[in-house]
Amino acid sequence: MGCATTKERKLFTGNHAIVRGAWEAGVTFAAGYPGTPATEIIEIAGEYDDIHAQWGANEKVAFDVAMGYAINGKRALVSMKYVGLNVAADSFMVMPFGGTVGGFVIVSADDPGMHSSQNEQDNRYFAKIAKMPMIEPSDAQEAKDYLKFAYEVSEQFSTPVLFRTSMRINHTKCVVEMGERQEFVPKTYEPDIPKWVVPVFAKSLRPRLDEKMERLAGFSETFPLNRIEEGSGNIGVITSGISYQYAKEVFPDATFFKLAMTYPLPKQKIIDFCKRFDKVYVVEELEPFMEEQIRFWGVSNIIGKDVFPITGELSVEVLEEVLHGIKPKTDYSSEFNIMPRPPQICAGCPHRGAFLALKKLKAFVTGDIGCYTLGCLPPMSAVHTVFCMGASIGNAAGFEKAGRENVVAVIGDSTFVHGGIPSLIDVVYNGGKTTTVILDNRTTGMTGHQDHPGTGRTVKNEEHYKLDLEKIVRAIGVECVIKVDPYNMAETTKGIKEAMEYPGPAVVITTRPCIFQREEKARVKTPLSVVEDDCISCGACTRIGCPALPSIKEGEKAKIDPISCVGCSVCTAFCSTGAIVPGK
């Protein structure tokens, strides 16, 4: 008689579990672009020797590389936050027409409640529009296990699969049981021009795609991960994803239809399920994605967004409020009773000098996505518009053409590579004279200091060619290119002023690494201090928004926190008496 073996278990976040599932499924390639809550997926994949992981210049590039890898017969993963799928949508929408050879899974991480995002779109609709199957896990264990199923579905139907997660799945930890890696035997790509040259043969491919969706709809009726959990009473619940966890606590006696494949939905099974009960709750975050489809089938005893909120995250508390007839609040920013901590630019951040210069020059600033978005907040209040990745330069060109003066676009180095280059080309091509400030801190700061082409390092910490932003800008056709050190206020102000006065397109590149970069040279060593006898209590230094310089009451002397201060010396430019000096 053999000895029983216990499988290894680990406490994993959903992001860790996704990568583990990919590894167990024999995936050998993963690509993506940083974006919370999915950032860690590619970082973790980079730690696996069996997976070649890489950052893409943007989400579409990452998608296209992974797509080519999968079509050539090997299993690939591409990962991004949900708005990243907007960038990759062109390829995402057309790939199902041709399909795939090796398994291809797209991880799209939604952010209900907008914890780190600019909108609250529901990416489940992408699967419906693209005619692509979608799978949703409810915890980290399912994230690992379901991902392996996703590859089987992908290869069985020659289709990419959307693997939709949400912030609570990506970042919540639970105990996950490990499995063994199954080495995947690559499939053979067969040249077939009418299948793979989609634009030319799209009319003939569309009926095939519709037929594939019909087969997937039939497959969903028997999909083994969809399950009915029997309860007592006459209440049914249809749910999926993280909403399942909340609903299980609120409806302990209900019978659950827990869906793992949420597109296409198992039509007949759902209709039969609803017939069993007086009322059926459809519990889902954000839009009524499942509810709309079920109502379309003529099911009338369901309760969904007529009582549950369409905005923000669900939670046990929200569901209980609904059941007690209380209208839930839609602002969950005060969900936890913690001391408020306003976001602010870090002490010593090189972006501060640029924003203070722009404010002094009374520039109208179109901003972009990154740490520097915080330049919109008091006391700087130096950024006037921000929408999405790469929009700053195009927005600035539009404001300029509409007659606004002193317009300056501000964009980070990673975001410039991601989506800013085409906009700058457009400015030059169309005879614009827009001023652009590229804040080069040599990292993708907001999402946790990931590398990008401008750093010359890959996710596996390999050194490659480091993109030269100045050469790119000059190659585009910008003749006025000025590089400044943002710690030097006089130099920075002069450089931006010169660019704003230049009669053609101009670019200022601020060059100073993020203070949290790995290089020692990124952090100035000597903190500053205030000579109290020389301080006149004017408060000018405290109004630059540096956390190392707390605000003071009238008559008080300024004080610098030696732990927070990195010695950037930007504050010295605002001290009229020279009271701020290095050291004690």
Side-chain angles (χ1 to χ4, degrees):
M1 191 161 112
C3 297
T5 59
T6 303
K7 288 189 176 181
E8 182 184 10
R9 296 184 175 191
K10 291 186 178 181
L11 187 64
F12 270 179
T13 64
N15 283 337
H16 278 84
I18 286 168
V19 179
R20 177 70 188 199
W23 179 81
E24 291 181 9
V27 170
T28 48
F29 182 83
Y33 184 84
T36 307
T39 300
E40 297 84 2
I41 292 172
I42 298 303
E43 290 180 323
I44 296 162
E47 299 171 3
Y48 282 74
D49 293 336
D50 299 310
I51 301 176
H52 177 86
Q54 65 182 49
W55 293 122
N58 62 31
E59 292 87 355
K60 185 181 185 302
V61 173
F63 188 103
D64 291 342
V65 176
M67 176 171 65
Y69 193 92
I71 291 174
N72 198 55
K74 298 181 179 180
R75 287 184 167 179
L77 176 98
V78 65
S79 169
M80 61 199 72
K81 74 178 295 175
Y82 68 103
V83 287
L85 194 51
N86 299 342
V87 179
D90 200 7
S91 299
F92 178 87
M93 294 296 173
V94 77
M95 187 184 179
F97 279 73
T100 187
V101 179
F104 186 47
V105 175
I106 305 110
V107 178
S108 170
D110 280 13
D111 188 16
M114 297 176 282
H115 294 276
S116 57
S117 308
Q118 65 267 46
N119 71 349
E120 201 175 36
Q121 71 191 47
D122 189 331
N123 269 20
R124 293 179 297 173
Y125 287 94
F126 266 105
K128 187 175 182 180
I129 296 169
K131 295 185 177 293
M132 183 186 300
M134 175 171 58
I135 293 175
E136 295 186 66
S138 294
D139 57 34
Q141 180 71 58
E142 290 184 357
K144 181 184 80 74
D145 296 339
Y146 286 13
L147 195 78
K148 295 158 73 174
F149 268 88
Y151 282 99
E152 295 178 15
V153 173
S154 176
E155 287 156 7
Q156 181 178 341
F157 291 91
S158 181
T159 179
V161 174
L162 180 62
F163 196 80
R164 190 252 188 178
T165 62
S166 64
M167 187 275 291
R168 297 295 175 187
I169 299 296
N170 293 94
H171 288 162
T172 301
K173 291 184 177 181
C174 75
V175 176
V176 177
E177 188 176 89
M178 303 293 102
E180 299 298 322
R181 178 172 170 86
Q182 286 186 310
E183 292 299 336
F184 176 71
V185 179
K187 299 178 182 292
T188 302
Y189 165 80
E190 298 290 345
D192 184 352
I193 290 175
K195 175 178 174 61
W196 301 113
V197 184
V198 172
V200 176
F201 298 96
K203 287 186 178 180
S204 62
L205 291 172
R206 174 57 194 262
R208 299 182 193 179
L209 180 56
D210 291 338
E211 185 272 332
K212 183 186 295 184
M213 287 307 301
E214 288 180 10
R215 289 190 288 118
L216 276 161
F219 174 74
S220 71
E221 298 285 350
T222 58
F223 186 59
L225 300 182
N226 292 337
R227 67 175 185 261
I228 293 177
E229 300 174 357
E230 295 292 343
S232 57
N234 198 25
I235 293 178
V237 176
I238 298 173
T239 189
S240 65
I242 191 63
S243 300
Y244 164 79
Q245 304 289 0
Y246 307 141
K248 282 292 284 185
E249 290 193 44
V250 177
F251 300 98
D253 300 322
T255 297
F256 275 72
F257 195 164
K258 182 188 180 300
L259 293 161
M261 179 180 279
T262 49
Y263 191 78
L265 291 172
K267 176 181 177 180
Q268 194 55 53
K269 267 200 165 183
I270 287 176
I271 291 174
D272 292 343
F273 178 82
C274 292
K275 286 178 180 177
R276 296 173 50 190
F277 306 98
D278 291 336
K279 57 184 175 182
V280 176
Y281 289 95
V282 180
V283 183
E284 54 186 333
E285 281 184 327
L286 302 182
E287 305 297 326
F289 178 77
M290 295 189 293
E291 179 188 345
E292 285 176 340
Q293 295 176 71
I294 297 169
R295 289 193 187 278
F296 180 75
W297 297 330
V299 178
S300 59
N301 63 330
I302 60 173
I303 301 170
K305 294 303 175 182
D306 44 348
V307 296
F308 297 124
I310 203 169
T311 302
E313 289 187 286
L314 292 183
S315 65
V316 172
E317 292 73 22
V318 168
L319 297 185
E320 287 178 338
E321 286 175 354
V322 167
L323 293 180
H324 288 91
I326 302 171
K327 185 178 180 180
K329 58 183 183 294
T330 57
D331 178 12
Y332 298 101
S333 58
S334 59
E335 178 181 358
F336 302 105
N337 186 23
I338 58 176
M339 182 179 294
R341 188 183 66 175
Q344 57 186 337
I345 291 178
C346 303
C349 175
H351 302 335
R352 179 172 283 103
F355 283 129
L356 291 169
L358 287 163
K359 187 171 185 178
K360 181 177 181 180
L361 294 168
K362 295 181 170 55
F364 180 86
V365 178
T366 57
D368 225 294
I369 301 293
C371 297
Y372 46 91
T373 306
L374 300 177
C376 71
L377 299 176
M380 284 180 287
S381 303
V383 178
H384 301 93
T385 70
V386 177
F387 293 99
C388 60
M389 293 284 285
S392 57
I393 301 174
N395 288 166
F399 273 107
E400 176 190 287
K401 289 187 180 296
R404 183 169 287 276
E405 297 180 350
N406 297 330
V407 181
V408 177
V410 169
I411 191 168
D413 49 334
S414 179
T415 310
F416 180 69
V417 175
H418 176 286
I421 295 173
S423 295
L424 190 57
I425 292 172
D426 187 82
V427 168
V428 176
Y429 170 67
N430 285 299
K433 62 181 189 68
T434 304
T435 298
T436 300
V437 176
I438 301 175
L439 303 173
D440 182 10
N441 65 350
R442 299 170 210 174
T443 190
T444 311
M446 181 67 88
T447 50
H449 307 98
Q450 291 76 33
D451 288 302
H452 61 79
T455 71
R457 277 187 302 268
T458 69
V459 72
K460 287 185 175 288
N461 205 30
E462 300 164 340
E463 296 283 343
H464 287 292
Y465 176 76
K466 183 162 74 172
L467 209 60
D468 189 318
L469 298 182
E470 183 179 358
K471 287 182 179 179
I472 287 179
V473 169
R474 292 191 184 279
I476 285 171
V478 179
E479 296 179 354
C480 178
V481 184
I482 302 167
K483 298 181 80 171
V484 299
D485 179 357
Y487 281 178
N488 187 324
M489 283 302 304
E491 177 183 294
T492 301
T493 305
K494 180 185 175 187
I496 296 176
K497 184 175 186 291
E498 182 181 334
M500 291 173 67
E501 293 173 349
Y502 187 75
V507 170
V508 177
I509 304 175
T510 68
T511 57
R512 175 70 70 163
C514 171
I515 61 167
F516 295 110
Q517 277 291 70
R518 66 193 82 184
E519 296 98 338
E520 281 294 308
K521 62 183 179 181
R523 190 175 179 90
V524 183
K525 294 296 182 184
T526 307
L528 303 175
S529 61
V530 177
V531 179
E532 289 196 2
D533 290 344
D534 295 336
C535 177
I536 60 174
S537 304
C538 66
C541 62
T542 69
R543 291 192 286 271
I544 67 172
C546 179
L549 272 159
S551 59
I552 58 175
K553 296 177 182 178
E554 187 176 350
E556 283 186 344
K557 303 287 186 177
K559 288 183 173 58
I560 294 177
D561 177 11
I563 296 175
S564 301
C565 178
V566 302
C568 72
S569 76
V570 168
C571 57
T572 62
F574 296 84
C575 181
S576 60
T577 64
I580 301 175
V581 297
K584 292 186 179 180

